[in-house]
Amino acid sequence: WLKLALRASCWQGMGANQGRQEASTPDGDSAGNAATAGVAGASGRGAPKNKVQLAVSVLGGIPGATGYHSSVVVNGEEFFFSDGGISSTMDLASHRNPQNPSSTPQVFDMGMSHYTGSQLKAALDRHFLPGTYDLLRKNCNSFSDCGLFFLLHRRLDKKYRSLEQLGAANASIVQAASGGQYTPNPKAADFDLEKLVVEIDPEKAWKTPGQVTGGTNANSVEAMRAARLARLSGGPTAVAAPTAGTGGAQPVMSQEGL
């Protein structure tokens, strides 16, 4: 398994150089522009329109655990992580195995998302930079797990990460067994998948309760003026009583915004 996984990281890296480093949205916007769209663009757009799939290839394994390579596909465009960072292809190129040219990945329909592939890449780019790949601690499956969560609020099935997690818990043994081919990447030492999943949650802005600003309401123009003068002079900001005889609807304004 280890030898196959090391080879896989190599051919994925080559695929990264051949793949497009910047995906495009259907209307031609670049991934950089997609980043500026933010989370607000996903809310209120009606039914999700972006088809999300998971592509999985078997690398090998040991009794009781299997090693996998995975990638996320959005509207037919594959996104995957290797030592070259996040790359994209249109033909599942990261799953091509020179050692087994006839092998084909399994592709699972995962659901529909409000978010595009460009938005996925823009959101995760800075967390999966080139040179930060680690076979055991930060690999293609780590990216797929984060990608599925960003797009669908779903997590990668744990079985796809079982072997690497076993290896990560015994990194020194893996390093020795590989004959030095695997060495931990110090750039991945601080990677924390669970913390990252919380950080990239595109919906968290809409789940965060609003903060109470306090203050009282000013129910007349005179009250607004009195409160403003009080704030400027550093004095108390009590609301002035409405002037007698004023009728009709009076303006209402929080003193905190004066």
Side-chain angles (χ1 to χ4, degrees), residues 60 89 109 122 126 190 199 226 249:
T89 71
D109 291 338
R126 67 187 180 92
D190 295 329
E199 182 179 343

Side-chain angles (χ1 to χ4, degrees), residues 17-107:
N17 293 328
Q18 297 169 358
R20 287 180 291 165
Q21 293 297 319
E22 183 174 278
S24 296
T25 57
D27 60 3
D29 288 340
S30 67
N33 291 335
T36 64
V39 176
S43 179
R45 289 190 298 182
K49 299 179 180 180
N50 301 290
K51 183 177 181 180
V52 180
Q53 297 171 298
L54 175 70
V56 178
S57 295
V58 175
L59 296 179
I62 58 176
T66 303
Y68 296 90
H69 165 59
S70 67
S71 61
V72 176
V73 183
V74 184
N75 297 330
E77 184 170 17
E78 176 195 26
F79 294 86
F80 63 96
F81 176 60
S82 69
D83 197 53
I86 300 174
S87 301
S88 65
T89 71
M90 296 301 297
D91 56 0
L92 299 179
S94 77
H95 293 267
R96 292 176 186 165
N97 183 351
Q99 308 300 319
N100 186 10
S102 62
S103 65
T104 56
Q106 287 184 288
V107 180

Side-chain angles (χ1 to χ4, degrees), residues 9-10 12-14 16-17 80-87 128-134 138 185 187:
S9 65
C10 291
Q12 290 158 25
M14 290 187 287
N17 293 328
F80 63 96
F81 176 60
S82 69
D83 197 53
I86 300 174
S87 301
F128 291 89
L129 294 171
T132 63
Y133 180 94
D134 185 282
K138 186 181 181 182
N185 185 350
K187 294 182 179 180

Side-chain angles (χ1 to χ4, degrees), residues 76 105 126 129 170 212 231 241 251:
R126 67 187 180 92
L129 294 171
N170 301 275
V212 177
R231 287 181 69 89

Side-chain angles (χ1 to χ4, degrees), residues 134-202:
D134 185 282
L135 179 66
L136 301 179
R137 293 179 291 179
K138 186 181 181 182
N139 57 25
C140 58
N141 298 321
S142 309
F143 170 76
S144 295
D145 199 355
C146 289
L148 289 177
F149 186 80
F150 177 84
L151 293 166
L152 299 169
H153 261 219
R154 296 183 64 175
R155 298 295 300 271
L156 183 69
D157 192 312
K158 291 182 179 180
K159 72 178 182 181
Y160 295 122
R161 304 190 66 238
S162 60
L163 187 56
E164 66 204 50
Q165 290 176 332
L166 179 63
N170 301 275
S172 59
I173 297 176
V174 173
Q175 189 172 0
S178 71
Q181 293 186 61
Y182 168 73
T183 55
N185 185 350
K187 294 182 179 180
D190 295 329
F191 180 73
D192 188 319
L193 178 61
E194 298 307 317
K195 286 184 179 180
L196 180 56
V197 164
V198 174
E199 182 179 343
I200 66 171
D201 183 356

